[in-house]
Amino acid sequence: MEFSIKQASPEKLKSGCVVVGIFEGGKLSTAAQALDKVSTQLLSDTIKRGDMTGKAATTLLLHKVSGIAAERVLLVGLGKASEINNKVSLDILRATFTALNNTPAKDAALFMTDEGAGKDATWVLKQAIFIAAEQAFRADDLKSKPSKPTTLKHITFASVDKPNATLKNIVDQSAAIARGMSLTKALGNLPGNICTPTYLAANALALDKAHKSIKTTVLEEQDMQKLGMGSFLSVTRGSEQAAKLITMEYHGADKKQKPIVLVGKGITFDSGGISLKPGAEMDEMKYDMCGAASVFGVMQAIAEMGLKLNVVGVIPTCENMPSGRATKPGDIVTSMSGQTIEILNTDAEGRLILCDALTYSAKFNPDTVIDIATLTGACVIALGHIASGLFSNEEKLAQELLSAGEQAHDRAWQLPLWEDYQPLLDSNFADMQNIGGRAGGTITAACFLARFTKNYRWAHLDIAGTAWKSGKEKGATGRPVPLLTQYLINRASK
Ligand code: BES
Ligand code: MN
Ligand code: ZN
């Protein structure tokens, strides 16, 4: 899918379909007025006859309209201008692309950024690109007969007024973010028997090959042993697959500039280990590497953008499986930090691989470290599937991430990291235990990680509820790639 932006006259622009907005009550947008004029009032007539009311997210397709260069005209209801909000705007854009994808048009010109379709042109562009990419995404290439790709290949964001120069940049950036999300979704959806730690490592090497600005290194289990990563290695003990510690270093700024480190949980399948999970929906634990997948998506997006920033992606990846060699409840291990951990539940494994990856991250002398993890089922209970859970040891960082989430419409919600929760992790036999009980499970998981991130500015995103959808719509969402990329764009422009 390609996206471009230009100033044009709606009636003269050659394309498979020209898209214009109609307000509720029948008022024509500026672009619709131009089409109405050359078509001897076809649009006004259609509205008068009641075929298009302008109700938000309704559409009407017109064919071969005389006087208009485009093969088709799509009228899109914008609702009442006074009632537009983010949700209505997304409904309008989704309906627009659904209608376009029901036509054989290969390209379309959208006059939607001038007025009415959303809060401002930037918002409309970004969300339109995400939605177009979302509808073009296919997850069925492992079927013997995969579905056909969409015919729509090129979207022009056209406007009657000359577009602001920064909007061209927004289009290119959003397209890169959308491609990053597609990579994240594709990796997330892959089954555990294909997407192993070795597979993820090969993908990281492929990103290195595709982008001069990315340098990938992969550590093996012996290397981790030497580094003293007893916590991480305790998780992989029951698995036949080799664990990997992947780092992808992106250099977009002066070598001396401290990097932002992104640490992604990469459990390619979480059975729970000896603390085995119940059977229902256990297949969804193939998504337990979605934090890692989001780091891949972000690295690719910023490399394509050539963002002027240094960013390191760190991915601890392994399986969590039961076996005669597997770690048992009660086992005590020593983390790379030297702190000892009593593993009371082998299903609380994410924090065990992350703590060593977080300790390792200090070697990059980071400006900021952000980990991204499908960490706790409790987070799904607390925030549902709308917001990711956010924790930080610095309030300014928390605010920057929250507002990046708002900007990109990939939102997070902050939870407390108060010291008062820490005693829940006390153990009689080790420096800490790996679970804090049912109450506040998302918070105690974050508190566990906080014990390993004292030496730098840090934030934690719990994406257990937002990384994938269950049920009929089962599939990875590509979140929080928009949030993270927006945060990095904001950081680069400072
Ligand atoms: N990967 C899971 C968290 C998870 C569960 C995400 C369900 C999304 C849906 C994590 O490794 C886990 O099993 N966490 C346990 C922690 C508990 C044992 C303290 C959980 O949430 O039940
Ligand atoms: Mn688990
Ligand atoms: Zn897990």
Side-chain angles (χ1 to χ4, degrees), residues 89-365:
S89 174
L90 292 172
D91 288 344
I92 291 169
L93 293 170
R94 276 193 206 105
T96 302
F97 284 100
T98 304
L100 283 173
N101 283 320
N102 280 330
T103 75
K106 292 191 190 70
D107 63 332
L110 273 65
F111 285 84
M112 305 277 280
T113 53
D114 283 324
E115 76 220 278
K119 134 166 97 183
D120 53 45
T122 310
W123 160 272
V124 172
L125 281 180
K126 263 191 223 165
Q127 297 305 323
I129 289 170
F130 295 165
I131 288 168
E134 162 82 28
Q135 291 195 11
F137 184 79
R138 294 287 179 273
D140 61 357
D141 40 293
L142 291 175
K143 292 192 182 187
S144 49
K145 292 192 184 72
S147 58
K148 284 206 183 73
T150 44
T151 42
L152 190 62
K153 290 285 181 280
H154 192 116
I155 309 292
T156 303
F157 295 102
S159 57
V160 178
D161 299 325
K162 193 169 175 357
N164 181 320
T166 61
L167 288 182
K168 161 95 178 76
N169 229 336
I170 301 278
V171 169
D172 294 343
Q173 284 183 343
S174 305
I177 296 171
R179 284 188 293 272
M181 290 174 79
S182 296
L183 172 61
T184 299
K185 291 198 267 189
L187 288 172
N189 286 332
L190 281 175
N193 63 329
I194 295 177
C195 185
T196 59
T198 302
Y199 183 95
L200 286 181
N203 247 268
L205 292 166
L207 267 189
D208 175 319
K209 201 148 192 220
H211 299 279
K212 274 212 181 84
S213 51
I214 294 181
K215 197 177 124 266
T216 295
T217 48
V218 179
L219 296 191
E220 306 295 332
E221 289 181 11
Q222 310 95 275
D223 306 316
M224 297 183 235
Q225 197 85 53
K226 281 187 201 131
L227 288 165
M229 297 188 166
S231 184
F232 180 4
L233 289 169
S234 76
V235 176
T236 194
R237 280 186 65 82
S239 171
E240 300 288 324
Q241 293 289 338
K244 308 275 173 183
L245 181 66
I246 303 167
T247 59
M248 293 178 275
E249 291 173 71
Y250 168 76
H251 278 292
D254 190 288
K255 278 246 155 80
K256 277 184 228 130
Q257 199 175 310
K258 289 178 166 189
I260 295 168
V261 179
L262 304 177
V263 181
K265 174 178 173 183
I267 295 289
T268 59
F269 188 75
D270 180 12
S271 71
I274 296 297
S275 312
L276 194 65
K277 285 182 180 296
E281 280 128 45
M282 205 208 272
D283 68 288
E284 293 189 10
M285 283 299 113
K286 71 174 183 180
Y287 289 116
D288 213 17
M289 37 59 73
C290 280
S294 75
V295 174
F296 277 99
V298 171
M299 297 306 289
Q300 178 186 284
I302 62 172
E304 284 185 8
M305 286 175 202
L307 209 62
K308 292 189 170 51
L309 208 62
N310 294 331
V311 180
V312 182
V314 174
I315 295 173
T317 173
C318 69
E319 288 181 334
N320 185 22
M321 297 291 276
S323 95
R325 287 170 41 87
T327 296
K328 305 168 290 299
D331 287 1
I332 294 178
V333 297
T334 305
S335 66
M336 183 181 175
S337 72
Q339 299 177 92
T340 58
I341 305 163
E342 184 186 15
I343 300 174
L344 289 182
N345 189 320
T346 64
D347 197 12
E349 85 298 339
R351 60 199 81 180
L352 296 175
I353 69 169
L354 287 170
C355 70
D356 280 343
L358 286 165
T359 301
Y360 181 75
S361 295
K363 86 168 202 145
F364 297 103
N365 188 22

Side-chain angles (χ1 to χ4, degrees), residues 51-75:
D51 288 298
M52 166 47 80
T53 62
K55 204 168 147 336
T58 57
T59 59
L60 182 70
L61 189 67
L62 307 172
H63 295 268
K64 287 180 82 172
V65 180
S66 71
I68 293 171
E71 289 166 53
R72 299 168 193 82
V73 174
L74 181 67
L75 305 182

